[in-house]
Amino acid sequence: MEQDKHQAYWRANTALIRNLLIVWALVSIVFSILLVEPLNAVRLGGVPLGFWMAQQGSIFVFVALIFIYAVQMDKLDRKHDIDE
Amino acid sequence: MSVELWTIFLVSLSFIAYLYIGWHTRAKGSADFFVAGRGVPSIANGAATAADWMSAASFISMAGLISFLGYDGSVYLMGWTGGYVLLALLLAPYLRKFGKYTVPDFVGDRYYSNIARLVAVVAAIFISMTYVAGQMRGVGIVFSRFLQVDINTGVIIGMIVVAFFAVLGGMKGITWTQVAQYGVLIVAYLIPAIAISVLLTGNPIPQLAFTFSDIVAKLNQIQVDLGFQEYTKPFANQSQLDVLFSTIALMVGTAGLPHIIVRFYTVPDVRSARFSAGWALLFIAILYTTAPALSSFARYNLIDSLHNKTVEEIQQLDWANKWEKTKLLTFEDKNGDGRIQLTPDKATSEITIDRDIIVLSTPEVAKLAPWVIALVATGGLAAALSTASGLLLVISSSIAHDIYYRIIDPNASEAKRVMAGRIMIGFAIAIAGYFGVNPPGFVAQVVAFAFGLAAASFFPVIILGIFDKRTNREGAIAGMLVGLIFTLFYIVGVKFYGMPPWFFGVSPEGIGTLGMAINFVVTFVVSRLTAPPPLEIQEMVEMLRTPGGETPPEAIH
């Protein structure tokens, strides 16, 4: 692959990784730990929201993030003609 | 049929299935032996990774830990799942493209140095050994309770089974056995959880029952009435900073664990590596989102069925008697009022419950059928054995492949390398068995060591190896050594030599996060102060970043 095409692919890849990692850090570190006390004032069903994020919500988001990554990278590979 | 008979029946049945699969998929060459011939489909690899990953600690100890810690138990839930996001996005695709056999292989080649390779081998063996020690204790607990045999006998039975499919089947046999073990362990975990969920809330889906019933509110109320903190109250046991550090250490440690990373070498291509990480986490999440529900149900149920009951009433509980014999559950009417009370104060509390029995005892507490109780024992064994075999393979391949083949005798024939791997598994099993007989401590805590060490040693050098072309040999070696030594010093100092946790009170479980940060800084700074890596290494990094095309030189042995 030519140098500039290669770099465009890598830039798109790292941008995707960065965005997904921001969501990752938000749900786990920010919502579930740093802001858990204010969020606990809100209720989801029968449980405090911050507690729920820490014990359930963040895990659901993690699973979604990996599949989003895999699907998006598939598209990116096809766009750059390097799908296997 | 009694619980004991059911247990013997189900355990034997599952062992026969594992042995059959191990025999059927036995390894024929070194690619089969070390990386399962690189032909594992991504869903199967996901299930195998999940089984490899979910150890005795996840299956037996985790729900119990959460049950006692309430919110603070989230450290384990988020830590042990969040790491997969890092693994999937930052490591797995590139390591698959790299296409070698082990993590030290990557470190050794990327940092063009046998010293770096050796440091990585030592770290991999150390991490895996720490981890395997916990698994063998798990096997012992399950056997001693359910088969009513001596713990040592139980450990030996487990060793024989692991030895059979690991020595014979190598990675290929282990992978397919683990797929079966995942099936066993997830069914074993879900059936009692669903049953208890229905019993307490009328809702069969534990995740929904947990969120949309009044059980958590009721539990909060009971806890407060008995003088405990509310179950959902954050930072009741650990400071906020410590929760943060511990969670990150477990996440990063997960992404750096050699027996998980090596799984991504077994799939056919980069695309499969990405999806396989997703499947792995999905399979893990099924158990990990059930666990907090089970924890709250179990806690509620246990308090409800024991607290303030008379001594006679408790003596009539069959399950309580059986667990009392193992000394993991004890009653003592300290104030002599004829009733048994649970209080937060150890000096006055009349019930002591070992956290490891929560999952194992829950079906009995909820009066489920004997076969369900037996199934849980079978699942616990599947969890412990699958993880133990995965770890033993890492230990043996680190020695056989990274030390023997790559450093001592690069001309060793294919047959000789596989033979070395098999011999090393034998040794590793003997050592693991020793730890099973002389357990070094509480299951989940021991495992936490492995994570801290993985976080502080591998994670930074692999990330920088892929994302920063300028990182060189000198930086990587210095970073790994400093991170590993610092973390080990802190953990051993605090745990064994009574050193006070001096870094803002961060516990040994969380210190890996600081170890990792130190590793990053040292690697980065030392790399900048020394010569850049050779041109061919920089080209290799470029190549790692693009899927498809040819694999790097030397990748096909």
Side-chain angles (χ1 to χ4, degrees), chain B residues 43-162:
Chain B
I43 293 193
N45 191 51
T49 311
D52 208 333
W53 172 244
M54 291 190 287
S55 58
S58 291
F59 192 94
I60 301 172
S61 298
M62 191 177 66
L65 262 177
I66 300 166
S67 192
F68 278 76
L69 294 173
Y71 164 87
D72 293 0
S74 315
V75 165
Y76 300 100
L77 291 167
M78 285 193 289
W80 285 337
T81 52
Y84 273 83
V85 179
L86 299 175
L87 189 61
L89 273 50
L90 300 174
L91 306 177
Y94 311 104
L95 290 176
R96 176 60 195 86
K97 175 69 194 285
F98 175 70
K100 300 286 171 71
Y101 285 170
T102 64
V103 176
D105 236 354
F106 174 79
V107 174
D109 283 11
R110 165 63 181 83
Y111 295 109
Y112 46 99
S113 151
N114 273 345
I115 297 175
R117 191 187 308 274
L118 208 60
V119 175
V121 172
V122 171
I125 294 173
F126 203 83
I127 292 163
S128 308
M129 268 297 166
T130 318
Y131 208 130
V132 100
Q135 302 312 313
M136 286 300 169
R137 160 92 173 137
V139 175
I141 290 179
V142 180
F143 271 116
S144 78
R145 164 62 185 80
F146 288 98
L147 297 183
Q148 310 273 307
V149 294
D150 193 51
I151 292 190
N152 298 354
T153 316
V155 170
I156 291 163
I157 299 174
M159 280 165 61
I160 294 169
V161 176
V162 173

Side-chain angles (χ1 to χ4, degrees), chain A residues 51 55-56, chain B residues 58-71 73-74 76-77 189 193 196 200 206 210 215-216 219 223 231 287-303 355 358-359 362:
Chain A
F51 171 80
Q55 298 221 324
Q56 303 254 284
Chain B
S58 291
F59 192 94
I60 301 172
S61 298
M62 191 177 66
L65 262 177
I66 300 166
S67 192
F68 278 76
L69 294 173
Y71 164 87
S74 315
Y76 300 100
L77 291 167
Y189 205 82
I196 290 160
L200 289 182
F210 175 71
I215 197 82
V216 173
L219 179 56
Q223 294 256 108
Y231 187 75
L287 191 146
Y288 271 57
T289 53
T290 306
L294 185 62
S295 308
S296 56
F297 301 157
R299 177 95 184 149
Y300 177 82
N301 226 350
L302 210 61
I303 298 178
R355 295 184 279 202
I358 289 280
V359 170
T362 300

Side-chain angles (χ1 to χ4, degrees), chain B residues 28 85 267 409 504-505:
Chain B
K28 292 175 191 81
V85 179
V267 292
D409 182 9
F504 300 104

Side-chain angles (χ1 to χ4, degrees), chain B residues 171-452:
Chain B
M171 192 59 157
K172 196 173 175 197
I174 284 179
T175 300
W176 290 105
T177 312
Q178 282 171 337
V179 174
Q181 284 167 332
Y182 176 77
V184 171
L185 80 88
I186 199 68
V187 169
Y189 205 82
L190 288 181
I191 288 182
I194 291 170
I196 290 160
S197 182
V198 171
L199 211 70
L200 289 182
T201 68
N203 188 332
I205 300 168
Q207 288 82 347
L208 294 179
F210 175 71
T211 315
F212 298 106
S213 76
D214 57 352
I215 197 82
V216 173
K218 268 160 62 187
L219 179 56
N220 270 344
Q221 191 55 49
I222 292 197
Q223 294 256 108
V224 173
D225 291 346
L226 294 182
F228 290 92
Q229 301 269 18
E230 269 191 359
Y231 187 75
T232 57
K233 186 182 159 42
F235 320 124
N237 311 280
Q238 277 175 278
S239 70
Q240 185 165 24
L241 184 78
D242 198 23
V243 167
L244 183 67
F245 267 62
S246 302
T247 307
I248 296 176
L250 292 184
M251 284 174 168
V252 176
T254 298
L257 280 185
H259 71 294
I260 298 303
I261 294 179
V262 79
R263 287 245 142 256
F264 295 95
Y265 289 109
T266 64
V267 292
D269 52 35
V270 173
R271 184 176 179 273
S272 317
R274 294 185 199 128
F275 276 99
S276 141
W279 289 117
L281 187 60
L282 180 68
F283 289 134
I284 291 166
I286 296 174
L287 191 146
Y288 271 57
T289 53
T290 306
L294 185 62
S295 308
S296 56
F297 301 157
R299 177 95 184 149
Y300 177 82
N301 226 350
L302 210 61
I303 298 178
D304 196 48
S305 51
L306 295 179
H307 176 70
N308 225 10
K309 295 287 184 312
T310 64
V311 178
E312 294 76 46
E313 278 176 308
I314 286 180
Q315 276 165 356
Q316 279 163 14
L317 295 173
D318 191 39
W319 62 269
N321 288 331
K322 282 186 189 158
W323 282 108
E324 229 185 328
K325 274 188 213 136
T326 65
K327 305 256 189 309
L328 297 173
L329 176 68
T330 56
F331 304 100
E332 191 193 348
D333 186 13
K334 288 175 185 160
N335 59 10
D337 66 352
R339 286 179 181 275
I340 295 295
Q341 282 107 6
L342 181 69
T343 65
D345 183 2
K346 276 206 183 90
T348 60
S349 183
E350 298 176 343
I351 307 176
T352 26
I353 308 164
D354 186 292
R355 295 184 279 202
D356 282 351
I357 74 172
I358 289 280
V359 170
L360 298 176
S361 70
T362 300
E364 289 178 285
V365 179
K367 303 189 187 68
L368 299 180
W371 68 268
V372 179
I373 299 161
L375 188 61
V376 173
T378 314
L381 280 175
L385 292 175
S386 58
T387 306
S389 51
L391 289 163
L392 291 168
L393 196 82
V394 166
I395 296 169
S396 71
S397 54
S398 286
I399 300 173
H401 182 76
D402 298 316
I403 297 185
Y404 173 67
Y405 172 60
R406 298 303 297 265
I407 298 178
I408 297 175
D409 182 9
N411 299 319
S413 68
E414 167 111 4
K416 250 179 145 177
R417 274 147 57 198
V418 173
M419 180 53 75
R422 289 191 164 135
I423 293 169
M424 281 308 146
I425 286 187
F427 269 111
I429 289 171
I431 297 169
Y434 172 82
F435 282 128
V437 175
N438 305 285
F442 182 60
V443 176
Q445 246 179 25
V446 170
V447 168
F449 283 132
F451 286 84

Side-chain angles (χ1 to χ4, degrees), chain A residues 18-58:
Chain A
R18 184 197 58 222
N19 294 342
L20 295 174
L21 284 185
I22 289 173
V23 178
W24 168 83
L26 266 183
V27 294
S28 54
I29 293 168
V30 178
F31 294 159
S32 300
I33 300 175
L34 298 177
L35 297 181
V36 63
E37 280 165 325
L39 279 181
N40 272 351
V42 184
R43 279 190 178 267
L44 177 82
V47 292
L49 181 60
F51 171 80
W52 181 82
M53 281 304 299
Q55 298 221 324
Q56 303 254 284
S58 52

